[in-house]
Structures are given as structure tokens and as C-alpha cells.
Amino acid sequence: MIIAQLPRLNISIFTKPPLSLRTHFTLFPKQRLLFAPKSTLSTVEPIPISPVSEPETQLSISLEKLFVPPETQVCIDDPTLSTRILKGSNIVLSKYARDAQVVQAEFIKSSVRTEDCPSDGLPEFALVGRSNVGKSSLLNSLVRRKRLALTSKKPGKTQCINHFKINDKWYLVDLPGYGYASAPQELRTDWAKFTKDYFLNRSTLVSVFLLIDASIPSKTIDLEYASWLGQNQIPMTLIFTKCDKRKKKKNGGKRPEENINDFQELIHGFFQTAPPWIMTSSVTNQGRDEILLHMAQLRNYWLKH
Ligand code: GDP
């Protein structure tokens, strides 16, 4: 289907969706396919457009670029569709989006090999991104603690797989940052090997959350990372950070929305269907609740199958 011919859905990223949903469910096969579901979209009539409050930050998403969780159907003529999309994202909510609150968070352990990671079988989400992308800030914001992520910034821990247990039920995993300009090439390769092994062999990994700085244009290393995940069919969610940095175009610089669009255009060829993405800011807490709801729906589906 030609994307240009699809109707476009204008979503104000300030529109708050209700947490209860009316969805239709169909059977859907196993996990690794989970995040690349076949589209169940029909494309006849345009979707009613939500009122636009801030034209500058309005997003326009074609139906084919939405992330539709498994067992969830989307119909173009559903008038509630725009309210079922998480604010500042392309993610449709499913019936599995529940129990999203973080009540308790504790550091469990640092591991240097995948086989040393916790073995209690709980589902986990791995945060990874270029050094300085805002990973520690996001982790702290997700758990509403100022210093939890400091644990993984301690000397000796930055190259480890750091597990944080949430509500005694699931893990947030802090992986080593990549792309340190000053690191010797040999070390950079080691980090890549180390995290790749984790991605490929960690059976309880529900999704990688790849952090991308939306305040600057795409970096080759981020594109390579995303394409590697796509080619290896590792479930991935893109977390665009620093979306509060909204400087007017200066020296060819672009706004977060433009950088986000550019990034997706560039990785488009590596994915069968559009990966889920969310705009965030650790300064304003934008995207925090959305990330937790998205994690909840992925996790609850994973636990059921
Ligand atoms: P890490 O190296 O990926 O863990 O990055 P940090 O969380 O340490 O953040 C790197 C720098 O970016 C720090 O100066 C943060 O204050 C800043 N930063 C992180 N997140 C945001 C954000 O959402 N908005 C803005 N404006 N700055 C941020």
C-alpha cells in the first residue's frame, strides 16, 4: 500500500487519552512477533481530527505508522481512535494497559554477562542509548527517584547490565551507554558485543527502549543501532528524549518533531511495521506516564502468552 495515499490522522500531542478503552480483540500468535503485528487497519474514510491547540507541536501520523498492539483492532471509522492513541506517540492503547504505576523500585544487581542476570523469569525492559542522551534522567523520572540511576553511574558499573526491580514484578534494565567519543575503538567494540549478546539471548526481554536525543539531528551510530535491532527482530520502542528543547531553527537545527520524523524516515526500511515511539522530557516529565502505560501493555500481554 502506498503510504502517501493513506488518510492522515492529526493528533494533538497534548490530547489526553482516557485509560479505559473500547477495542475489538482477535487472536494473535507468539511473543517475538508481538511488536511487529500485522496491521488490522482499514483505510476508507479519514478519521475525525482532534482540535488543534498548539499547531507547532501537532503531529500528523498516517494509519500505517501507528503501532497497534496485538489483539487490538483499529478501524478508520472509529470516532474514538484519536483518543486511544497515547499522547506524543504513535501507540494505540490495548486492553492490556493496566497496572502502570511504579510503587516500589530497588537496585538488584550488576551483571557482566547475560547468564549472570536475575533468573526469576520476570519480564524486563532494557534502556539503552548514546552517552549523554538522558538515560539516567529518564530512569530516575520513571521511578520518581532523584538518584536511583546513580547506582549504574558508579565507577565499574557503567559497563554492566544493571537490574532494577519494580513493584517486585518486573525489571527496568540499564545497559551501558554507547558512542563515547573518547573511548578507544577496542572498548567500543567490546560494549557492542556485550549488549548484543544480551539482546539476542535474554529470553525475558520484552522490549528494548532505545533512547534518541530529539533535540539534535540523527547520529549515524543511533541509526546503526536501530537498524541492527530491526534486522535482528529485537522488539524495540524508540524513546525520543529532550523534547522540551524547542529552540527555533538555528544553524540548520530542527525542532524535535522534525528530528523525530527524519529519524523514522531513515530507519523505515529496516522494519516490517512502524516501531512504537514516544516523545519524552525529563525536565517536564512529558511522556513518563505514556512510557509506563506502554510498558504495562507489553508486559501484561507477554505474561499472558
Ligand atoms: P546519560 O549519560 O544518558 O545517563 O544522560 P544524563 O541523564 O546524565 O543526562 C545528560 C545531560 O542531559 C544532563 O546534563 C541532563 O541534565 C540533560 N538532560 C537529560 N534529560 C533531559 C531532558 O529531558 N531535557 C533537557 N533539556 N536536558 C536533559
Side-chain angles (χ1 to χ4, degrees), residues 130-137 153 242 244-245 281-283:
R130 211 157 31 79
S131 155
N132 226 35
V133 71
K135 185 157 56 73
S136 310
S137 309
K153 285 216 156 182
K242 309 191 186 181
D244 58 285
K245 289 183 147 187
S281 160
S282 300
V283 171

Side-chain angles (χ1 to χ4, degrees), residues 230-254:
Q231 282 165 334
N232 287 278
Q233 298 192 317
I234 312 286
M236 176 192 78
T237 298
L238 289 169
I239 300 297
F240 290 103
T241 63
K242 309 191 186 181
C243 292
D244 58 285
K245 289 183 147 187
R246 316 201 42 79
K247 276 207 180 127
K248 297 268 177 211
K249 290 182 188 176
K250 209 169 147 191
N251 306 326
K254 294 182 175 180

